């Protein structure tokens, strides 16, 4: 869970002398995990002291946090991800908000405890912990989730995320295979643990819910981020990662925060190009790919860390439907698809800033159909490995942005 | 993908002299993977020849398959899983069924191709492959899924499953950590690949969609099958598998076929006791646990392989709510919960055969509340590790059946 300076080394490997080996050091090596924990504890203290000082001086205490929605983000291609546009909401302690205020402070106290003891709570657990808070207990998890989001917003100004505060999601991240070794540490003994992602057989390495403390070593040339588990299985079974010398990441729909952060670190720390391989439909493009690349409106306060601005879109594109003769393996766009695409063209700062994407979405709307990545199976189960991916990879420079 | 004779060896390990090491050999060693492929190919040929012979002799060809629902299963505690009660449906080739009949035969041909080339298709891919079948193509995946289920039914008489025919689900199975080494093989080079499930850091080993070909080695004393990802993370982070010397399996709700088969092999081939740790609610008990232990009505034709008759129910039990003071961390049973529990008492052959379960479900209905495994967080995040699990494990013999 360390936001530390990453080193990138280039050394020759024994196994593949021509392949470049890229490395980031594990968090333990430079004490950055401990440093981050210290910073987090200090920030919690600062916010708490601020509230305390306001009360002491006889004022109603206030806490501020950024608004979290697509209307409060801006997109600059040079920056590369959704940034907060600056709208702030303020919560003042008054009769109506006294319970929420108390809950906010108690959850901050829980965060402090967890950072100090290197523990964590799922969002569900955080809800249950409150059951011992008498009047301040949450009645529904929806309430505690909202307060957690607000807390993350408050700390976003200090570049501290929910993960740093030790609140983690229930679900784990995507699956990973390929020439990558992940260096974790045993939470108890602190011994380093090396997971070789070429040695998972027909299984895979699972991205944990926090990834900043991981070290990474690779000899891969690029990362392929895949929408569906089915396609991931096919490429893994046929060892596409070996043929193409790449790392395969299964996103499983819209990638979780941990998966986005994991891919971001492959992109930023290991300097690997990242290509997305998703369905050609408005959900695949406007939700899955857009969130991977520039983040989402709802998490605008943490997008700087949880997106992959260098990612490019390999496919499936509307033009691929023409070029690879997929017409009879498409499905008509539903009303919800059309609405989503039109909404993206009109309101999404990312698509508004990208003329190539505007053309592609308009082409899809004109064609009136969508195509899944499995549609290539029409030409044979392994057409995707033998024809589609090699053909596309030859023109990687012309991928949609 | 081998249904082969498993060997169980007991040898001392260097690391823990007192721990028993239990091993199953990998499928490669005795050629059983190849043997199974041969049997599968022969069975496909037999069914196809049977249809052909019927046509040649001037009769309308018929194919028979078992009915798949809870009304067509029986439960005998000595057998230990839902068996087919014997109702059969027959499909005759006539004007109305000619398309389905053709599709059935074509999917069987695809299965034959895949077994011969050691490939597989997800159910979604199988649907897309049909797009090149002209008149016989499927219009929706629902249609191809139904035919695949029927085909599995036809072959169930020969103990051949959908996985043996190489049709796999999109999603992968649950996560696994603990003192277990899984021995897979590289699908291309056939080299053995060893995955050490103690060496996954904060990640985990993912159960692949087919597990019969895996070899396994362990020094664990038991298996804990856990409902939620959140609880799995907690037990993994605090290395409960080390303290308790067990294998942790995340089911993630109702366990997939692959996860059930994986746990079954831990139970049967490695002779490990299996304990389930799920929410105390009708869904956790009547769906998740029941399906893990005895299978489901819908998959009655394959339950013999895809369930864990030796599993026992560690908790959470209705009595635990009393014993561990969870009342203010419970939620009222919803109407759907009450309906599910009453339905299980009245119609589910498993619960009807188990007086202890009848008492427990009635107790839950009387209390009118449900409790999640995260509810223990009320007493502190690690109460579950420090108090609940050790207390329960002392009385493992009295677990619900």
């Amino acid at each position: 869970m360390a936001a530390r300076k990453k080193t990138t080394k280039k050394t020759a490997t024994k196994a593949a002398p021509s392949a470049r080996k890229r490395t980031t050091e594990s968090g333990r090596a430079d004490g950055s995990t401990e440093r981050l924990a210290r910073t987090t504890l200090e920030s919690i203290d600062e916010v708490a002291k601020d509230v305390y000082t306001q009360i002491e001086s006889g004022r109603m205490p206030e806490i501020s946090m950024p608004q979290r929605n697509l209307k409060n983000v801006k997109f600059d291609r040079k920056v590369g991800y959704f940034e907060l546009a600056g709208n702030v909401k303020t919560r003042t302690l008054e009769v109506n908000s006294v319970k929420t205020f108390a809950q906010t402070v108690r959850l901050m106290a829980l965060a402090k405890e967890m950072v100090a003891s290197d523990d964590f709570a799922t969002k569900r657990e955080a809800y249950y912990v409150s059951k011992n808070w008498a009047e301040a207990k949450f009645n529904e998890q929806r309430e505690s989730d909202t307060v957690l989001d607000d807390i993350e917003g408050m700390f976003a100004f200090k570049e501290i995320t929910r993960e740093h505060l030790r609140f983690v999601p229930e679900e784990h991240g995507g699956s990973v295979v390929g020439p990558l070794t992940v260096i974790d540490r045993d939470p108890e003994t602190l011994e380093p643990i090396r997971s070789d992602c070429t040695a998972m057989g027909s299984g895979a390495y699972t991205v944990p819910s926090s990834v900043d403390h991981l070290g990474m070593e690779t000899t891969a040339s690029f990362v392929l981020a895949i929408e569906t588990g089915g396609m991931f299985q096919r490429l893994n079974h046929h060892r596409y990662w070996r043929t193409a010398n790449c790392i395969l990441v299964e996103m499983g729909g819209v990638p979780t925060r941990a998966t986005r952060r994991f891919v971001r670190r492959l992109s930023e720390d290991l300097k690997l190009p990242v290509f997305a391989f998703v369905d050609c439909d408005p959900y695949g493009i406007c939700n899955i790919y857009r969130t991977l690349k520039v983040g989402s409106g709802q998490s605008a306060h943490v997008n700087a860390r949880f997106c992959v601005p260098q990612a490019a879109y390999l496919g499936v594109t509307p033009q691929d439907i023409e070029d690879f003769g997929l017409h009879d393996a498409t499905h008509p766009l539903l009303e919800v698809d059309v609405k989503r695409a039109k909404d993206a063209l009109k309101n999404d700062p990312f698509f508004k800033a990208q003329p190539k994407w505007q053309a592609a979405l308009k082409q899809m709307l004109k064609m009136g159909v969508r195509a899944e990545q499995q549609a290539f199976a029409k030409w044979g189960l392994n057409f995707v490995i033998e024809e589609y991916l090699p053909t596309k990879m030859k023109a990687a420079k012309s991928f949609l942005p």
Side-chain angles (χ1 to χ4, degrees), chain A residues 45-59 61:
Chain A
D45 278 352
E46 275 169 32
V47 174
K49 269 183 198 142
D50 191 38
V51 170
Y52 186 77
T53 315
Q54 292 179 64
I55 296 173
E56 281 287 287
S57 71
R59 276 178 290 138

Side-chain angles (χ1 to χ4, degrees), chain A residues 1-7 24-36 183-185 190 192 211-216 265:
Chain A
M1 310 199 183
R4 71 192 171 286
K5 188 159 166 287
K6 308 282 162 35
T7 57
T24 77
E25 298 297 333
S26 167
R28 291 300 301 169
D30 60 359
S32 57
T33 300
E34 287 65 30
R35 204 156 54 236
L36 177 73
I183 303 138
D184 203 338
R185 57 172 183 168
L190 306 185
V211 306
D212 274 335
H213 65 292
L214 301 175
M216 295 168 160
R265 293 200 51 212

Side-chain angles (χ1 to χ4, degrees), chain A residues 3-144:
Chain A
R4 71 192 171 286
K5 188 159 166 287
K6 308 282 162 35
T7 57
T8 306
K9 293 179 188 172
K10 291 169 193 171
T11 54
T13 62
K14 280 177 199 169
S18 67
R20 293 192 307 176
K21 186 171 174 184
R22 299 158 193 246
T23 308
T24 77
E25 298 297 333
S26 167
R28 291 300 301 169
D30 60 359
S32 57
T33 300
E34 287 65 30
R35 204 156 54 236
L36 177 73
R38 217 159 43 235
T39 316
T40 307
L41 287 175
E42 284 163 11
S43 302
I44 296 172
D45 278 352
E46 275 169 32
V47 174
K49 269 183 198 142
D50 191 38
V51 170
Y52 186 77
T53 315
Q54 292 179 64
I55 296 173
E56 281 287 287
S57 71
R59 276 178 290 138
M60 292 291 200
E62 278 181 4
I63 42 184
S64 305
M65 55 208 79
Q67 285 182 21
R68 297 187 309 275
N69 53 55
L70 211 53
K71 286 184 186 137
N72 191 30
V73 302
K74 56 186 179 185
F75 179 69
D76 179 335
R77 282 166 64 168
K78 282 191 230 77
V79 175
Y81 57 87
F82 282 172
E83 297 174 285
L84 283 172
N87 298 334
V88 164
K89 69 175 175 181
T90 301
R91 180 173 294 153
T92 308
L93 174 59
E94 49 190 21
V95 174
N96 288 333
S97 64
V98 63
K99 187 173 167 187
T100 316
F101 218 97
Q103 289 167 330
T104 308
V105 176
R106 287 211 75 148
L107 280 178
M108 280 167 51
L110 176 61
K112 190 175 166 181
E113 256 181 67
M114 294 192 295
V115 178
S117 61
D118 190 23
D119 210 334
F120 67 91
T122 64
K123 293 162 92 178
R124 190 75 182 153
E125 287 177 326
Y127 158 72
Y128 275 114
V129 167
S130 85
K131 294 295 184 187
N132 246 343
W133 295 352
E135 292 291 301
K137 80 174 172 195
F138 294 106
N139 295 314
E140 286 183 48
Q141 192 188 335
R142 201 163 38 83
E143 299 171 12
S144 53

Side-chain angles (χ1 to χ4, degrees), chain A residues 95-313:
Chain A
V95 174
N96 288 333
S97 64
V98 63
K99 187 173 167 187
T100 316
F101 218 97
Q103 289 167 330
T104 308
V105 176
R106 287 211 75 148
L107 280 178
M108 280 167 51
L110 176 61
K112 190 175 166 181
E113 256 181 67
M114 294 192 295
V115 178
S117 61
D118 190 23
D119 210 334
F120 67 91
T122 64
K123 293 162 92 178
R124 190 75 182 153
E125 287 177 326
Y127 158 72
Y128 275 114
V129 167
S130 85
K131 294 295 184 187
N132 246 343
W133 295 352
E135 292 291 301
K137 80 174 172 195
F138 294 106
N139 295 314
E140 286 183 48
Q141 192 188 335
R142 201 163 38 83
E143 299 171 12
S144 53
D145 282 355
T146 306
V147 174
L148 284 179
D149 285 344
D150 287 346
I151 290 177
E152 178 167 65
M154 289 158 53
F155 284 90
F157 299 124
K158 299 173 188 292
E159 294 199 10
I160 286 178
T161 67
R162 203 176 60 209
E163 287 79 2
H164 299 146
L165 296 164
R166 308 303 178 96
F167 296 106
V168 304
E170 280 284 313
E171 76 280 1
H172 50 65
S175 302
V176 179
V177 287
L180 172 73
T181 297
V182 180
I183 303 138
D184 203 338
R185 57 172 183 168
D186 187 294
E188 287 198 332
T189 64
L190 306 185
E191 287 295 308
I193 292 174
R194 299 173 63 86
S195 301
D196 176 355
C197 301
T198 62
M200 299 292 162
S202 41
Y205 173 80
T206 307
V207 175
S209 54
S210 289
V211 306
D212 274 335
H213 65 292
L214 301 175
M216 295 168 160
E217 286 176 11
T218 191
T219 52
S221 309
F222 67 98
V223 177
L224 192 65
I226 302 161
E227 175 172 341
T228 62
M231 183 56 75
F232 177 86
Q233 276 187 64
R234 170 155 309 284
L235 299 189
N236 186 22
H237 181 78
H238 289 285
R239 294 329 205 208
Y240 177 73
W241 48 263
R242 188 182 286 148
T243 327
N245 191 34
C246 66
I247 298 167
L248 304 178
V249 179
E250 173 208 30
M251 296 190 284
V254 176
T256 63
R257 284 164 63 123
T259 306
R260 271 135 65 197
R261 183 75 193 142
F262 191 86
V263 178
R264 163 67 165 270
R265 293 200 51 212
L266 295 175
S267 163
E268 193 169 84
D269 300 348
L270 299 179
K271 307 275 180 279
L272 294 178
V274 173
F275 305 126
F277 181 24
V278 305
D279 290 349
C280 180
D281 59 30
Y283 188 75
I285 293 167
C286 309
N287 293 57
I288 296 175
Y289 176 67
R290 201 282 318 272
T291 304
L292 175 72
K293 172 142 180 140
V294 298
S296 69
Q298 225 209 337
S299 61
H301 56 300
V302 292
N303 279 338
R305 301 170 57 82
F306 291 95
C307 66
V308 189
Q310 304 303 324
Y313 188 90

